[in-house]
RNA sequence: CGGGGCGUAGCGCAGCCUGGUAGCGCGCCUGCUUUGGGAGCAGGAUGUCAGGUGUUCGAAUCACCUCGCCCCGACCA
């Protein structure tokens, strides 16, 4: 493509509302424009990158045995009522009415539609398994769109749904998608990690998020320095600590102390001159309307997802003042396990604690030298806290560390949540009716592109990994008014085009500096500079965007030089 | 939903407090010079000052309302 004819409006200034680097660069590089909050247009350069990602996804999905479909974006309310999500989904679901006053929504995801499709056409085990996918625009009316295309309302997504006859088949489908996702993100040239994720109330332990490492990422990822263990913060397990040798002989006499208006761990710690590690924090939760006390060491935090899963609760929130008063007999800030009349569970962190401090369930009092077994009882000890850097790895002897990441993909074993609600059934060999087992697998397309930029940029702009680059090469004649220079540039451009290389000829009547700046900004991996001095010696310059390395090449051999570099780059991502 | 901020030329901003004919930089157009890292000089075009109502002789500026956008928090996959 000739630059002079391209719609490629680059900009020097950073738009005032662009916060993250990928958003700034995508706007400056002429890839996207914001239409309104959380809704973007893709310009030619941006859309080319989108299509690169989509193409890689298509190839790997097809290879994994999935088949592409295209489902409607506008969906009738009935389907959502059938799955129960019409009322459950909340305001993220954009609802509207047609001229006949019927309710519809814009699809934020397509479980209902696909389940409806499959239940109508699949009747027998002979038609299973099936894996159908689509690349579609989704709409989620996000509470707060931000970070450009990373968290927006209208966005492109690849979503796949698998249907299997039994658990073993569903697991195989899941494994296939897991492998496909690894192939996809590796081929995109991204530094990523699959991490174990919480599968929530749907059940089953099969859920992985694919995270691209980036400091600007919204999610905290926990990983082991030594083994391959990685999980998101919600899910991150903590190994049960070794039991220490403590006997009842070590127990001191229980003491009640007056602590007027001393409530928080910091206040208690300062007032009684004890470290937070010697205090047991007692949190009262409201689990499906019933109070439950959770004990944890004073310096640590409760992971509510773990508590929720442990209790098997549908809803879990911190108890309100009224429930706390009823459960403990004291206002907020003085709860403790001694004499409490509600269910008590404890994090592993308190298992080895002796002679600790805790609330007295009495306003303005705390207890010292409390010991579990003598002064209070605990239903059980469990892993209920938020992981911290330095924790032991739950899988090996290694140590846990944290990084930040951007979630670009999610594979999820759904089980029968939708197939049951919507009666997606088949007849097995014995003629018995059975419910299909589903999985769903998503990839955020725009988010993948943004994540790639977050990982590949410098002060001059984007640095595309070759597989996602909108163009591979830009040929830059330093001055188009010098006939020899321009002729040589045209010649190289023509040869590259003939070889099927995606190439831009920067034929604009601009100064060299302007062309270099634009080429760097839009991140084209290879630049061939044609200048009068080098040309006179039979040379052109080949510059590598990523390394900044620049070499002189024979004018006649430049095409094969370019192809060599392209081949070796390709080898890196396809092994 | 709670709190805060912003809205003036395509982009980035000043002007507003203290009311009096709309400004700067970049970009854009024309000409000359220049030509390997966002050139120089000269000339030029561009505005519903977000919208509405009010106060005033007079409103970008003051008051009230509406809309849009952004940030922090809560929420969600």
């Amino acid at each position: 493509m000739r630059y002079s004819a391209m719609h490629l409006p680059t900009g020097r200034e950073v738009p005032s509302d662009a916060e993250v680097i990928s958003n700034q660069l995508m706007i400056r590089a002429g890839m996207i424009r914001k239409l309104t909050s959380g809704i973007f247009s893709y310009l030619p350069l941006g859309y080319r990158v989108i299509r690169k990602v989509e193409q890689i996804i298509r190839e790997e999905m097809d290879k994994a045995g999935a088949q592409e479909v295209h489902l409607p974006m506008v969906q009738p309310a009935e389907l959502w009522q059938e799955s129960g999500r019409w009322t459950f989904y909340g305001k993220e679901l954009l609802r509207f009415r047609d001229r006949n006053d019927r309710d519809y929504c814009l699809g934020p995801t397509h479980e209902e539609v696909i389940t409806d499709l499959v239940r109508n056409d699949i009747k027998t085990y002979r038609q299973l398994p099936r894996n159908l996918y689509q690349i579609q625009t989704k709409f989620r009316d996000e509470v707060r769109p931000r970070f450009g295309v990373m968290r927006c309302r209208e966005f492109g997504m690849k979503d796949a749904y698998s249907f299997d006859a039994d658990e073993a088949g569903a697991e195989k489908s899941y494994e296939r998608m897991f492998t496909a996702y690894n192939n996809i993100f590796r081929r995109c040239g991204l530094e990523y990690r699959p991490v174990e994720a919480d599968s929530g109330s749907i059940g089953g332990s099969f859920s992985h998020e694919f995270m691209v490492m980036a400091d600007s990422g919204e999610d905290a990822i926990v990983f082991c320095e030594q083994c391959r263990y990685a999980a998101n913060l919600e899910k991150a397990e903590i190994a049960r600590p070794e039991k220490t040798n403590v006997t009842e002989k070590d127990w001191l006499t229980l003491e009640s102390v007056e602590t007027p208006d001393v409530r928080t761990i910091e206040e208690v710690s300062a007032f009684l001159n004890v470290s937070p590690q010697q205090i047991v924090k007692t949190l009262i939760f409201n689990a499906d309307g019933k109070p439950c006390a959770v004990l944890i060491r004073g310096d640590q935090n409760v992971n509510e997802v773990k508590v929720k899963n442990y209790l098997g609760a549908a809803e879990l929130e911190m108890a309100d003042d009224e429930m706390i008063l009823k459960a403990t007999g004291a206002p907020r800030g003085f709860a403790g396990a001694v004499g409490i009349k509600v269910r008590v569970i404890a994090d592993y962190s308190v298992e080895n604690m002796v002679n600790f401090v805790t609330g007295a369930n009495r306003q303005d009092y705390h207890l010292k030298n409390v010991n579990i077994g003598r002064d209070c009882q605990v239903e059980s000890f469990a892993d209920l806290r938020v992981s911290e850097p330095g924790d032991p790895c739950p899988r090996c002897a290694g140590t846990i560390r944290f990084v930040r990441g951007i979630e670009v993909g999610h594979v999820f074993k759904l089980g029968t949540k939708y197939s049951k609600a919507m009666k997606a059934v088949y007849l097995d060999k014995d003629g018995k009716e059975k419910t299909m087992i589903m999985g769903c697998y998503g990839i955020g397309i725009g988010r993948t592109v943004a994540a790639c930029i977050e990982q590949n940029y410098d002060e001059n702009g984007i640095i595309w990994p070759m597989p996602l680059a909108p163009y591979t090469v830009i040929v830059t004649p330093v001055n188009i008014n010098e006939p020899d220079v321009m002729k040589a540039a045209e010649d190289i451009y023509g040869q590259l085009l003939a070889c099927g290389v995606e190439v831009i000829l920067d034929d604009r009547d601009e100064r060299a500096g302007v062309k270099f700046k634009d080429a760097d900004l839009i991140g084209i991996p290879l630049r061939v500079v044609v200048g009068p001095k080098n040309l006179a010696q039979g040379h052109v310059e080949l510059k590598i965007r990523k390394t900044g390395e620049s070499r002189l090449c024979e004018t006649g051999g430049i095409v094969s030089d370019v192809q060599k570099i392209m081949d070796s780059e390709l080898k890196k991502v396809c092994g």
Side-chain angles (χ1 to χ4, degrees), chain A residues 153-327:
Chain A
R153 299 194 291 171
E154 183 178 308
F155 60 100
M157 181 171 168
K158 187 283 307 180
D159 48 326
Y161 304 89
S162 65
F163 296 83
D164 275 277
D166 54 32
E167 284 291 334
E171 272 173 41
K172 207 179 275 175
S173 293
Y174 185 92
E175 287 302 323
R176 283 188 147 191
M177 285 296 106
F178 188 86
T179 304
Y181 273 42
N182 276 305
N183 292 342
I184 288 165
F185 295 120
R186 190 190 63 246
R187 280 186 60 188
C188 287
L190 295 166
E191 191 203 329
Y192 75 97
R193 236 177 224 273
V195 309
E196 293 181 17
D198 181 62
S199 49
S201 50
I202 298 169
S205 55
F206 289 89
S207 178
H208 285 87
E209 292 170 345
F210 284 77
M211 310 289 297
V212 169
M213 306 306 146
D215 294 336
S216 58
E218 286 187 274
D219 300 296
I221 304 163
V222 169
F223 72 100
C224 175
E225 283 180 334
Q226 283 177 31
C227 72
R228 295 189 57 80
Y229 181 75
N232 73 17
L233 189 56
E234 283 182 351
K235 169 85 178 176
E237 301 164 29
I238 298 156
R240 185 172 195 157
E242 295 282 318
K243 273 227 168 192
T244 50
N245 262 335
V246 189
T247 63
E248 300 182 6
K249 277 182 244 156
D250 300 314
W251 288 353
L252 301 176
T253 315
L254 184 67
E255 234 182 282
S256 178
V257 285
E258 192 170 2
T259 52
D261 212 28
V262 175
R263 294 161 192 274
T264 65
I265 294 295
E266 292 73 34
E267 288 165 2
V268 174
S269 168
F271 188 85
L272 295 177
N273 195 26
V274 294
S275 72
Q277 284 90 331
Q278 289 171 266
I279 304 172
V280 166
K281 186 156 59 174
T282 306
L283 298 165
I284 311 295
F285 283 91
N286 176 349
D288 296 331
K290 290 190 194 121
C292 175
V294 176
L295 310 187
I296 191 164
R297 206 171 74 191
D299 60 323
Q300 306 202 288
N301 294 307
V302 167
N303 180 331
E304 291 193 28
V305 173
K306 289 182 180 176
V307 174
K308 189 173 169 182
N309 289 343
Y310 180 83
L311 295 173
E315 295 291 332
L316 184 87
E317 54 184 12
M318 296 295 291
D320 57 20
D321 289 344
E322 190 190 340
M323 185 179 261
I324 289 173
L325 187 63
K326 227 172 141 187

Side-chain angles (χ1 to χ4, degrees), chain A residues 368-417:
Chain A
K368 284 169 80 172
N369 300 331
V370 178
N371 287 289
I372 294 170
R374 179 188 69 187
D375 308 312
C376 58
Q377 300 301 321
V378 167
E379 176 188 311
S380 60
F381 293 96
D383 172 17
L384 301 173
R385 75 175 167 90
V386 177
S387 180
E388 290 175 349
D391 278 338
C393 173
R395 298 280 186 276
C396 74
T399 304
I400 288 300
R401 286 183 54 198
F402 277 41
V403 276
R404 296 204 71 80
I406 299 161
E407 181 190 348
V408 290
H410 198 163
V411 292
F412 205 107
K413 196 178 141 201
L414 278 177
T416 55
K417 181 181 158 98

Side-chain angles (χ1 to χ4, degrees), chain A residues 25 189 452-453 455-466 468-470 519-525 544-548:
Chain A
L25 287 174
C452 177
I453 295 172
Q455 226 172 46
N456 300 285
Y457 71 92
D458 65 12
E459 66 278 7
N460 292 313
I462 302 169
I463 306 172
W464 289 114
M466 219 169 262
L468 297 195
D520 285 349
L521 176 61
I522 65 177
I524 307 304
I544 317 283
R545 175 69 178 92
K546 186 158 60 180
T547 59

Side-chain angles (χ1 to χ4, degrees), chain A residues 31-35 39-43 149:
Chain A
M31 292 177 68
I32 56 167
R33 291 290 181 261
K34 185 173 72 182
L35 212 213
I39 299 180
F40 291 84
S41 301
Y42 281 91
L43 276 50
V149 299

Side-chain angles (χ1 to χ4, degrees), chain A residues 472-474 525-530 534 539-545 547-553 557-565:
Chain A
T472 312
V473 183
I474 182 163
L526 302 177
R527 187 173 82 202
V528 176
V529 183
V530 184
N534 287 329
H539 290 133
V540 290
E541 181 187 330
L542 178 59
K543 184 146 188 177
I544 317 283
R545 175 69 178 92
T547 59
E549 176 200 351
S550 154
R551 59 178 95 145
L552 281 182
C553 300
I558 184 66
V559 173
S560 70
D561 289 338
V562 163
Q563 282 178 317
K564 264 180 219 148
I565 295 177

